[in-house]
Amino acid sequence: MRIEVQVPHLEPLHWLARQTAASKTYWSDRHGRFTMAGIGTLDVVAGDLPISYPAVFDRLRQKLSPLFPRVRYYGGIGFSQNRQIDPSWKSFGNYRFVVPRFEIWMDESGTFFACNFFGTPDVAHWERELAQILVELRRVDLTQLPVTVATPVQIARVDTPDRYQWQQNINLALAKFTDRQLEKIVLARKSTLLFASDLQPQILLLLLQPHNYPSYHFCFQTDPQTAFIGTSPERLYYRHDRLLATEAIAGTRQRGTSSELDRQLSDELRNSPKDIHEHQLVVNNLRAILAQICDAVTIEPSASILKLNKVQHLYTQCQGILTAELTDAQILPLLHPTPAVGGFPRPQALKLIHELEPFERGWYAAPVGWVGYDDTEFAVAIRSGLVTGDRLLLFAGAGIVTGSQSAQEWLEVENKIRHFTDLFTPPHPPTITANRSHIEQ
C-alpha cells in the first residue's frame, strides 16, 4: 500500500544525497519524464543462487496491486548468474529488488513524497507499523537545499586486462571466427580508479547528469560504502500490458570536436561494413526473438544515429504485441544478454567471455530497472561503475567481429568510460599496475 502527498518541487537526486539511510535507490528514465529517489527498504526480494525467473517474478507480482500502480520493485539481475559471487558484488547477489520505504516521485503531474507499507486487517500490526513509520520519518531530511557537488580527487588507476592481455584476448577471440564458432563477442575491461577519500554515489551521479542525455540514470546503494551507478543509453525492454518495446544499439564512434567532424564521424559509422555487420547481428537476433513471442512486430527499416555526449551509436527501434500468455519471467531471459553486450551465437560467446575476462561482470551489462503491477522496464547496465568506499570500478566493452583491431577496440572502451574519467583530473600521473589486487601510487 502507499500514501502520497504532493510537495513543492524537490530535486530528487539532491534530496537523496542528503539522506543518512544505508539503502538508497534512484531511477530516472532517459527523457526525464519519470524520476524516483527512494530510501530504506519496505521489502527486498534477493538471492545469491542463480535466479529462477518464474519464482522471482511470481513473488514480485503477489505483492503488487492495481490499486497502487506507483509501487514498484527496483533492482537488477547479475550478468552471469554465478554460484560463487565475487566479493565486490556480494551485497547485490545474483538478483535484488527493493520497494523503498520513502520516495520522492516526480513526473509530469508534479512532485510527490510517498510512504510505502504493508496492509493487513490486524489492528495490532497497524499500530506497530505506524509507530515504525513515524520513527523512520523523523530521520528523513525534507529540506530543499541543494547539496555541495565537489569533484573527487583521483590518485591512481589500474586497467584489467592491461593493453598486452587485451590484445591477446582479442586475437584468441578472432581465431574463433575463422572456424565459424563465433560471429561476434563483446569483451569488456575493468578500470579501477582510486580516490583520496570515500566516494558519495549520488554526488557522482549529479556530476554525470548534465553530460549524458538521453540516458537512464540509476543508483542502487546497498550500504554506506557500496553502490552501483550508471547512465545507460540502452533499453533492454519496456512492457505495458501486451505492448513490448525494445531496441538495438551497436556500432560506435566518438563524438567530433566540431559539427563538421561530428558529421564526418556519423557518416563513417553509417557506412562502416564492420559496424553495420555488428549492428545487424543485434537487429536480426531481436527480429527472431520477437517473431517467437509477438503477434505483430515492427522494426525500423534502417538504423539511425543515437548521439550521446562522448560517443554515437547505430540505433534501431523494435516493438511488438505480445501473445496473451507471455510474462516477464519468459521475456527477460530471451532478451538478456543481447548480442550487443554478449555476442552471437550466445552460448559460445558467453563461454569465451568467462574464459577470457579476468574479472566478474557482476551487474555490469545486466538488466536493471523496475517491475510494476502491469508494466516493467529494464535498461542494459552499460556506462556503469561500482562504488566501493574510495574506489570506483568502471566497466565497458567492445564488440569484436571479423576485422576488429585491438588498438581501435581499446580506444572505443576508453571513449565509453570518458563520461566518468573526464570528471577526474589526477594531480600527477599514477603508476599503472595491471592485474593486481591493489593499486600502487
Side-chain angles (χ1 to χ4, degrees):
M1 301 182 70
R2 181 181 181 95
I3 293 175
E4 292 181 358
V5 291
Q6 191 159 8
V7 296
H9 176 72
L10 199 63
E11 169 49 49
L13 197 49
H14 280 267
W15 174 82
L16 190 63
R18 288 196 303 272
Q19 307 310 311
T20 58
S23 175
K24 298 182 182 182
T25 308
Y26 181 82
W27 180 267
S28 179
D29 72 21
R30 59 183 169 190
H31 297 294
R33 290 189 286 259
F34 153 62
T35 301
M36 191 288 301
I39 59 173
T41 54
L42 170 65
D43 193 37
V44 181
V45 175
D48 291 339
L49 294 177
I51 188 171
S52 165
Y53 287 99
V56 169
F57 277 93
D58 283 349
R59 286 180 65 190
L60 302 182
R61 297 285 178 219
Q62 287 170 8
K63 297 182 181 182
L64 296 168
S65 166
L67 299 176
F68 304 97
R70 287 180 169 178
V71 178
R72 294 171 173 174
Y73 281 90
Y74 297 87
I77 297 168
F79 183 88
S80 298
Q81 295 297 298
N82 295 321
R83 290 189 173 273
Q84 295 296 323
I85 299 173
D86 184 275
S88 299
W89 293 99
K90 185 64 178 175
S91 62
F92 296 89
N94 272 318
Y95 60 92
R96 189 173 191 271
F97 293 92
V98 172
V99 176
R101 168 66 89 183
F102 300 111
E103 298 178 11
I104 293 294
W105 172 290
M106 189 171 67
D107 62 12
E108 68 279 357
S109 62
T111 305
F112 302 84
F113 180 72
C115 174
N116 300 313
F117 55 95
F118 283 119
T120 173
D122 182 353
V123 175
H125 169 88
W126 277 111
E127 293 175 347
R128 292 192 301 271
E129 182 85 351
L130 178 59
Q132 180 62 34
I133 289 171
L134 291 175
V135 168
E136 296 177 23
L137 187 58
R138 292 188 188 103
R139 304 190 191 111
V140 179
D141 182 346
L142 287 171
T143 61
Q144 299 187 46
L145 297 174
V147 294
T148 301
V149 180
T151 302
V153 177
Q154 178 190 335
I155 59 176
R157 168 178 167 173
V158 58
D159 292 304
T160 309
D162 60 17
R163 281 181 178 267
Y164 174 76
Q165 189 59 54
W166 175 256
Q167 181 178 357
Q168 296 299 106
N169 287 351
I170 289 182
N171 290 341
L172 288 169
L174 290 174
K176 301 291 184 180
F177 298 147
T178 59
D179 56 14
R180 300 188 180 274
Q181 294 183 43
L182 277 177
E183 288 191 59
K184 175 183 178 180
I185 185 172
V186 180
L187 292 178
R189 280 174 30 213
K190 178 178 73 172
S191 298
T192 303
L193 279 55
L194 178 65
F195 293 84
S197 59
D198 283 356
L199 298 166
Q200 296 176 280
Q202 292 80 43
I203 299 299
L204 284 181
L205 211 50
L206 280 167
L207 289 167
L208 290 168
Q209 267 190 332
H211 308 292
N212 293 280
Y213 181 87
S215 294
Y216 296 94
H217 291 73
F218 56 84
C219 173
F220 302 103
Q221 182 171 331
T222 57
D223 60 64
Q225 293 283 305
T226 311
F228 183 52
I229 65 173
T231 60
S232 173
E234 185 171 354
R235 168 188 280 170
L236 182 63
Y237 77 92
Y238 169 74
R239 181 192 62 79
H240 178 72
D241 194 13
R242 291 178 58 197
L243 174 65
L244 179 71
T246 183
E247 61 197 25
I249 296 180
T252 306
R253 286 293 184 280
Q254 67 187 76
R255 295 298 305 273
T257 54
S258 66
S259 57
E260 177 62 22
L261 179 57
D262 197 58
R263 184 187 61 78
Q264 291 177 10
L265 290 167
S266 295
D267 290 343
E268 181 183 303
L269 179 59
R270 291 180 199 273
N271 297 296
S272 163
K274 172 204 175 274
D275 291 281
I276 292 170
H277 174 59
E278 181 183 344
H279 184 78
Q280 197 60 44
L281 285 172
V282 182
V283 174
N284 292 344
N285 180 70
L286 285 175
R287 180 180 285 110
I289 291 171
L290 294 180
Q292 298 175 42
I293 63 177
C294 293
D295 293 330
V297 176
T298 304
I299 296 178
E300 289 182 320
S302 60
S304 57
I305 299 291
L306 176 65
K307 291 182 178 289
L308 304 172
N309 183 250
K310 303 295 184 183
V311 294
Q312 49 192 318
H313 302 287
L314 291 174
Y315 172 76
T316 300
Q317 295 187 67
C318 314
Q319 68 176 31
I321 304 300
L322 290 163
T323 56
E325 66 274 11
L326 282 172
T327 67
D328 292 303
Q330 296 161 295
I331 298 166
L332 185 53
L334 284 176
L335 291 174
H336 168 73
T338 73
V341 294
F344 186 83
R346 182 192 289 183
Q348 293 91 323
L350 296 182
K351 181 176 182 293
L352 192 58
I353 287 171
H354 179 72
E355 293 173 1
L356 294 181
E357 289 184 357
F359 57 87
E360 291 296 330
R361 290 192 177 191
W363 280 23
Y364 159 67
V368 295
W370 54 265
V371 179
Y373 177 77
D374 199 30
D375 49 3
T376 299
E377 183 162 32
F378 283 103
V380 182
I382 55 176
R383 313 297 192 271
S384 55
L386 178 66
V387 175
T388 58
D390 61 358
R391 300 182 183 211
L392 175 62
L393 282 59
L394 300 179
F395 302 88
I400 311 303
V401 296
T402 300
S404 293
Q405 298 180 9
S406 63
Q408 292 178 350
E409 306 304 338
W410 180 278
L411 179 60
E412 178 176 321
V413 172
E414 283 297 302
N415 286 327
K416 287 177 177 177
I417 64 173
R418 275 185 56 206
H419 64 293
F420 275 101
T421 58
D422 281 359
L423 298 175
F424 319 122
T425 304
H428 47 80
T431 299
I432 305 299
T433 307
N435 299 325
R436 301 271 181 92
S437 60
H438 63 283
I439 300 177
E440 299 174 352
Q441 179 62 25

